[in-house]
Amino acid sequence: MKFSDVTKLVCSLMCSAALLLCPVTGRAALFGEFTLKDEMDMGREFDALVRSSMPLVEDPEVKNYVQGIVNRIVKPLPPQPYKFQTSVLLEPSLNAFATPGGFVFVHTGLIQNLDHESELAGVLSHEIAHVTQRHIAKRMERGQAISLATLAAIAGLAASGGGKAGGAAMVAAGAAGSAAMLNYSRTDESDADRFGLRYLTDVGYNPAGLSGAFRKIQELSWGRAGAIPTYLSTHPGITERLSVLEAHQKSLPRAQRERKDDDRRFLRVRTLIWARYGDAQHAEQVFSSMHAKDPMRFLGMGILAARRNRVSAAQQSFAEALKLAPRDELILREAGIFQYNMGDASQARKMLERALKLDPDDYMGLFFYARLLDDA
């Protein structure tokens, strides 16, 4: 069984238990009220469910990057009762999801397969709009009960790839409300598109990011022998919505439509995810397509070679990356970790100290530096 199948199976089993044992706490919603406390309780329970059954990416380079985009999007909004906390799930499917209470989840597969930061920001803006417009909360207020299992199914965590258990969880959740959610959510999706486009544009991103992300997801679905990515199965009507979105984009001022993408940080994070977690052959293709003098190309090749125990190739790639960008804290950190694992404490210490001088809050670098000092 593949790693992703195992995670889906585990989460499906958790969802089945949740369906029986963990109905959403806001029972007052059946009488027309679903309070902010109910929303926060629901979000916290779902967050705990995900954290107990799905692997998370804890690298601060990745976590802080995604949280930074979310912070940028919500900063100009009217005061919100939510903190909008993000988590990056180690899962190759193309998906992102936000729960009531402002808990935002992004799959690594989404970051790997997009081309621009504005596209990732577009998807996040759309998901944040679902929270600010209280789409799930409003369903609760209309008396449509939603269990955590239903929410997990809508989020795509209990995908059919989980085998019989996954299928059973999906059927049970669907009977409780998934089908109704998908029918109802066509209105929600249009609403989230409209507000998401506004959020994206208001913070300076290219407005084409939202439609660009949706088109990319749609294109990838056509090339996978009918295996529809989770995001499309839980966000219906994308073809019709794309037409409306692109019409809205054309009506925006030219200065907004012609904004340039700044993808420097996005490409760093995408390289890191491909190198550390992606399929090795596919990752090689990604790095080969990058510019010959791009230090991120050699960083990715170095991490990937080390992961495959190709020590000589890793040494050469890290050396080239450092030659091209000798003061890049991420390259210094990864080269230092490689040297530590190779047993060269002197080189590891030198590189990690330089990396931490540039970024003293990088707790992955601090962790390896502490190990190095402890060894000494």
Side-chain angles (χ1 to χ4, degrees), residues 76-112:
L77 299 183
Q80 299 291 318
Y82 321 109
K83 292 183 178 180
F84 287 99
Q85 303 173 47
T86 64
S87 297
V88 180
L89 305 182
L90 181 54
E91 167 58 44
S93 60
L94 287 81
N95 201 9
F97 187 73
T99 72
F103 294 87
V104 181
F105 302 90
V106 179
H107 290 195
T108 51
L110 183 67
I111 300 173
Q112 286 172 273

Side-chain angles (χ1 to χ4, degrees), residues 230-302:
T230 304
Y231 199 84
L232 291 189
S233 65
T234 59
H235 293 72
I238 198 166
T239 301
E240 297 82 357
R241 288 162 45 214
L242 271 169
S243 299
V244 174
L245 264 177
E246 289 170 349
H248 279 302
Q249 288 168 205
K250 290 178 181 178
S251 68
L252 294 172
R254 182 176 177 179
Q256 293 181 354
R257 289 184 281 113
E258 295 182 353
R259 284 173 177 164
K260 301 296 182 183
D261 287 302
D262 182 357
D263 295 322
R264 288 172 292 180
R265 187 113 188 257
F266 170 79
L267 295 175
R268 289 166 67 85
V269 169
R270 191 180 71 173
T271 296
L272 195 57
I273 291 173
W274 268 117
R276 189 167 288 148
Y277 310 114
D279 174 77
Q281 290 185 336
H282 195 166
E284 278 186 335
Q285 295 173 1
V286 170
F287 301 144
S288 296
S289 68
M290 296 170 72
H291 192 278
K293 294 296 183 182
D294 187 343
M296 289 299 106
R297 167 186 171 141
F298 292 99
L299 174 65
M301 292 168 62

Side-chain angles (χ1 to χ4, degrees), residues 137-165:
K138 288 176 181 176
R139 284 206 59 211
M140 297 295 293
E141 288 173 350
R142 283 192 283 272
Q144 296 176 308
I146 301 175
S147 69
L148 291 184
T150 304
L151 191 58
I154 295 164
L157 297 179
S160 58
K164 294 181 180 179

Side-chain angles (χ1 to χ4, degrees), residues 56-79:
L56 300 175
V57 176
E58 297 291 355
D59 189 326
E61 186 75 21
V62 179
K63 285 183 61 176
N64 294 344
Y65 172 68
V66 176
Q67 184 68 59
I69 294 176
V70 170
N71 291 346
R72 176 177 171 180
I73 293 167
V74 302
K75 185 177 181 179
L77 299 183

Side-chain angles (χ1 to χ4, degrees), residues 301-312:
M301 292 168 62
I303 298 172
L304 181 61
R307 177 179 140 196
R308 301 167 89 179
N309 204 29
R310 298 177 179 176
V311 176
S312 179

Side-chain angles (χ1 to χ4, degrees), residues 39-219:
E39 284 191 60
M40 296 302 298
D41 287 345
M42 181 182 190
R44 289 191 192 98
E45 288 179 23
F46 185 75
D47 184 59
L49 172 64
V50 171
R51 289 179 175 277
S52 66
S53 53
M54 294 288 287
L56 300 175
V57 176
E58 297 291 355
D59 189 326
E61 186 75 21
V62 179
K63 285 183 61 176
N64 294 344
Y65 172 68
V66 176
Q67 184 68 59
I69 294 176
V70 170
N71 291 346
R72 176 177 171 180
I73 293 167
V74 302
K75 185 177 181 179
L77 299 183
Q80 299 291 318
Y82 321 109
K83 292 183 178 180
F84 287 99
Q85 303 173 47
T86 64
S87 297
V88 180
L89 305 182
L90 181 54
E91 167 58 44
S93 60
L94 287 81
N95 201 9
F97 187 73
T99 72
F103 294 87
V104 181
F105 302 90
V106 179
H107 290 195
T108 51
L110 183 67
I111 300 173
Q112 286 172 273
N113 287 285
L114 296 178
D115 295 320
H116 302 289
E117 181 176 302
S118 63
E119 293 173 348
L120 177 59
V123 174
L124 292 172
S125 295
H126 177 93
E127 296 307 317
I128 288 167
H130 278 307
V131 178
T132 61
Q133 303 310 301
R134 303 184 71 245
H135 288 148
I136 293 179
K138 288 176 181 176
R139 284 206 59 211
M140 297 295 293
E141 288 173 350
R142 283 192 283 272
Q144 296 176 308
I146 301 175
S147 69
L148 291 184
T150 304
L151 191 58
I154 295 164
L157 297 179
S160 58
K164 294 181 180 179
M170 286 292 286
V171 170
S178 281
M181 170 65 79
L182 293 179
N183 290 333
Y184 175 81
S185 67
R186 290 182 182 273
T187 302
D188 288 347
E189 291 304 302
S190 297
D191 202 28
D193 287 344
R194 180 164 53 90
F195 281 95
L197 181 61
R198 182 192 302 174
Y199 298 166
L200 184 70
T201 307
D202 285 351
V203 295
Y205 282 111
N206 187 326
L210 181 54
S211 59
F214 288 165
R215 286 211 175 274
K216 173 69 68 167
I217 294 170
Q218 191 177 51
E219 288 168 8

